[in-house]
Amino acid sequence: MKVTEKDVVYVAGLAHLELAAGEQQRMVRDLNSILDYVDRLNELDTKDVPPMAQVRSREAVDASREDQVEGLRPSLPHQAALANAPETDGAFFMVPKVIEK
């Protein structure tokens, strides 16, 4: 199944993205390239490959770092976090509205 420019325009609309004509064409090419690669992967014989729930082995997971309990390190004080904010109401960051819908 090939992606068409109509598909890209439709999905961009759902995501509220504005794509220039060149971007639409590049997106069609990139998405079709991904789908072509998936088709190539589907050609591989995987009948003797056991299904996996994780891509890392259990040994690799066990060798990972130890979990750290949250709260052991002090967090940044509230006023220090707001100190470099362009605009604040004293308690929160103030940001311009970016969503119109």
Side-chain angles (χ1 to χ4, degrees), residues 54-85:
Q54 302 293 326
V55 295
R56 292 175 48 174
S57 68
R58 171 56 83 188
E59 294 79 25
V61 171
D62 290 342
S64 299
R65 66 164 174 76
E66 292 293 320
D67 287 338
Q68 296 179 354
V69 178
E70 291 296 323
L72 291 181
R73 296 182 316 206
S75 60
L76 187 63
H78 190 76
Q79 289 305 318
L82 295 174
N84 290 321

Side-chain angles (χ1 to χ4, degrees), residues 27-68:
M27 202 57 67
V28 169
R29 185 182 65 247
D30 291 350
L31 291 172
N32 281 320
S33 175
I34 292 168
L35 291 175
D36 289 342
Y37 187 72
V38 170
D39 284 342
R40 286 181 52 205
L41 291 175
N42 283 333
E43 293 173 5
L44 295 174
D45 180 14
T46 59
K47 70 176 190 268
D48 295 328
V49 178
M52 299 172 57
Q54 302 293 326
V55 295
R56 292 175 48 174
S57 68
R58 171 56 83 188
E59 294 79 25
V61 171
D62 290 342
S64 299
R65 66 164 174 76
E66 292 293 320
D67 287 338
Q68 296 179 354

